[in-house]
């Protein structure tokens, strides 16, 4: 039993791979291959709101979306593909990529030291390390082809999400993609209902308190009228180590906001509200190659483009003279 899922299952169809993953819930070794273990049910629910089959089903659907996006936007999946799972938790998402990525090329990071320890105990494949808010990722520039973050940007403050996005673009290879989820505008209906009925539970009370205390930037009336180009953040904290309210709460990133704030940094390839019952939407962004960077400067900052052309022209004269 010295083989790996990548070596044994790389040629399986998506449906066959789904069957292997589902079997691994109750069978630690599938077709002679050791598979990742699962944490206790309470841990699964705490970090994903689901357990076992439901938790895996959601992760598998996300993996299929990432695979499709990678292929569509020019990523060649193969033995050298390197993937980073940002907010790896107990390894729910990472394990679904074990047939796509060689063990030495699979990495995961999390701010939570306790769940990272659990991940290392459960996941026999991949490398998992702690990251820290306000500090860069511990990887060199241009390290990864793909970065995934499921239900992470759904909780990050505006400042924190921009800092991590910049880190993504630093460690992605040119042309590499990041695929991550956020809350969609359907979340606004949930918030409006929660504010009207604070007795409904902890989430309802948190929403009502944040709104009453004026702690939601951009909210002046009904949640349903929240401006489409604003970043919605409810600073509720997470109740988990490393998730204080300065960094963690409930967050909704609209495509209008993304086009305004991210476009100078990266290509926004796709926004889709596809994951239904979770009120999650998906962004696919791509790190620009050199030529695309110049095109973006020319389009969005014509003054800077003219200055750049002047510098290049002058440099040419100096080199010739």
């Amino acid at each position: 039993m010295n083989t790996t899922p990548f070596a044994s299952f790389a040629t399986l169809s998506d449906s066959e791979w789904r069957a292997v993953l589902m079997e691994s819930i109750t069978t630690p070794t599938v077709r002679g291959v050791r598979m990742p273990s699962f944490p206790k049910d309470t841990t699964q629910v705490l970090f994903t709101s689901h357990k076992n089959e439901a938790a895996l089903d959601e992760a598998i659907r996300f993996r299929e979306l990432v695979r499709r996006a990678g292929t569509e936007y020019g990523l060649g999946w193969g033995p050298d593909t390197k993937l980073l799972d940002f907010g790896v938790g107990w390894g729910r998402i990472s394990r679904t990529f074990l047939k796509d990525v060689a063990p030495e090329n699979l990495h995961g990071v999390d701010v939570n030291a306790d769940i990272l320890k659990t991940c290392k105990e459960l996941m026999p494949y991949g490398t998992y390390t702690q990251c820290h808010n306000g500090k860069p990722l511990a990887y060199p520039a241009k390290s990864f082809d793909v970065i995934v973050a499921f239900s992470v940007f759904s909780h990050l403050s505006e400042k924190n999400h921009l800092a991590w996005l910049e880190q993504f673009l630093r460690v992605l290879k040119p042309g590499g993609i990041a695929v991550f989820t956020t809350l969609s505008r359907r979340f606004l209906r949930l918030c409006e209902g929660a504010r009207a009925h604070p007795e409904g539970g902890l989430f309802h009370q948190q929403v009502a308190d944040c709104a009453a205390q004026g702690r939601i930037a951009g909210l002046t009336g009904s949640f349903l009228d929240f401006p489409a180009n604003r970043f919605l953040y409810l600073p509720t904290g997470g109740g988990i180590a490393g998730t204080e309210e300065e960094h963690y709460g409930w967050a909704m990133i609209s495509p209008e906001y993304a086009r305004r704030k991210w476009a100078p940094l990266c290509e926004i390839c796709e926004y889709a509200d596809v994951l239904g019952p979770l009120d999650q939407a998906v962004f696919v962004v791509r790190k620009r190659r050199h030529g695309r960077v110049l095109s973006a400067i020319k389009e969005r900052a014509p003054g800077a483009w003219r200055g750049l052309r002047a510098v290049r022209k002058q440099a040419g004269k100096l080199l010739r003279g």
Side-chain angles (χ1 to χ4, degrees):
M1 196 166 56
N2 296 320
T3 188
T4 68
F6 181 73
S8 296
F9 301 137
T11 60
L12 293 186
S13 67
D14 285 348
S15 61
E16 291 170 329
W17 177 232
R18 170 184 281 270
V20 168
L21 289 169
M22 289 297 181
E23 186 177 347
S24 73
I25 297 172
T26 55
T27 308
T29 300
V30 180
R31 304 187 192 183
V33 180
R34 180 188 175 191
M35 296 296 290
S37 304
F38 287 76
K40 56 187 180 181
D41 290 355
T42 53
T43 300
Q44 292 188 52
V45 172
L46 176 63
F47 283 86
T48 70
S49 301
H50 300 290
K51 63 181 181 180
N52 299 326
E53 288 86 356
L56 262 189
D57 175 70
E58 188 176 64
I60 290 168
R61 286 187 291 121
F62 182 63
R63 175 253 168 199
E64 291 172 353
L65 185 152
V66 173
R67 281 281 307 191
R68 189 270 306 161
T71 301
E72 183 171 340
Y73 297 110
L75 177 68
W77 294 93
D80 297 324
T81 300
K82 293 188 68 175
L83 183 144
L84 174 66
D85 183 358
F86 181 79
V88 65
W90 48 267
R92 176 176 70 139
I93 301 297
S94 285
R95 69 188 61 207
T96 69
F97 286 96
L98 287 173
K99 102 172 192 73
D100 307 306
V101 179
E104 63 271 19
N105 292 331
L106 179 63
H107 294 256
V109 296
D110 206 291
V111 298
N112 188 315
D114 292 333
I115 196 60
L116 198 62
K117 180 176 182 292
T118 299
C119 180
K120 291 177 180 180
E121 294 169 350
L122 301 174
M123 293 285 291
Y125 313 103
T127 302
Y128 305 98
T129 56
Q130 189 174 11
C131 61
H132 302 275
N133 289 313
K135 295 184 179 180
L137 291 168
Y139 297 101
K142 305 177 184 178
S143 292
F144 295 100
D145 301 285
V146 186
I147 298 176
V148 297
F150 186 87
S151 196
V152 178
F153 280 61
S154 313
H155 300 287
L156 299 181
S157 68
E158 183 173 22
K159 178 181 177 181
N160 210 25
H161 103 271
L162 288 172
W164 285 125
L165 180 59
E166 289 183 359
Q167 281 299 303
F168 285 9
L169 297 172
R170 182 183 67 82
V171 300
L172 275 174
K173 299 175 183 178
I177 65 168
V179 185
F180 49 90
T181 66
T182 181
L183 298 174
S184 75
R185 284 193 69 85
R186 288 180 293 124
F187 180 67
L188 298 176
R189 294 197 295 272
L190 183 62
C191 288
E192 189 64 21
R195 179 163 64 172
H197 299 283
E199 73 283 357
L202 177 60
F203 171 76
H204 294 67
Q205 187 64 58
Q206 288 176 333
V207 172
D209 289 346
C210 285
Q213 295 165 10
R215 301 174 64 206
I216 305 174
L219 182 68
T220 57
S222 168
F223 276 97
L224 301 180
D225 297 327
F226 190 80
N229 64 346
R230 293 292 298 270
F231 183 98
L232 177 73
Y233 181 62
L234 283 64
T236 59
I240 303 172
T243 56
E244 57 279 348
E245 66 180 38
E246 175 189 358
H247 302 297
Y248 188 90
W250 294 95
M252 183 195 77
I253 306 171
S254 69
E256 293 85 358
Y257 172 90
R259 284 192 288 269
R260 180 168 60 89
K261 297 290 286 190
W262 300 353
L265 304 174
C266 58
E267 293 181 75
I268 302 172
C269 299
E270 187 173 322
Y271 171 85
D273 185 2
V274 297
L275 296 183
L278 275 187
D279 289 305
Q280 298 267 323
V282 179
F283 278 103
V284 180
V285 303
R286 179 166 54 187
K287 182 174 180 176
R288 290 189 178 95
R289 301 181 190 277
H290 178 68
R292 293 186 178 130
V293 172
L294 294 178
S295 296
I297 294 173
K298 183 177 181 180
E299 176 184 350
R300 299 182 180 279
W305 171 253
R306 288 191 294 271
L308 179 60
R309 289 188 64 190
V311 169
R312 293 176 66 182
K313 185 176 181 180
Q314 184 62 29
K317 288 181 180 179
L318 291 173
L319 289 173
R320 290 192 299 271

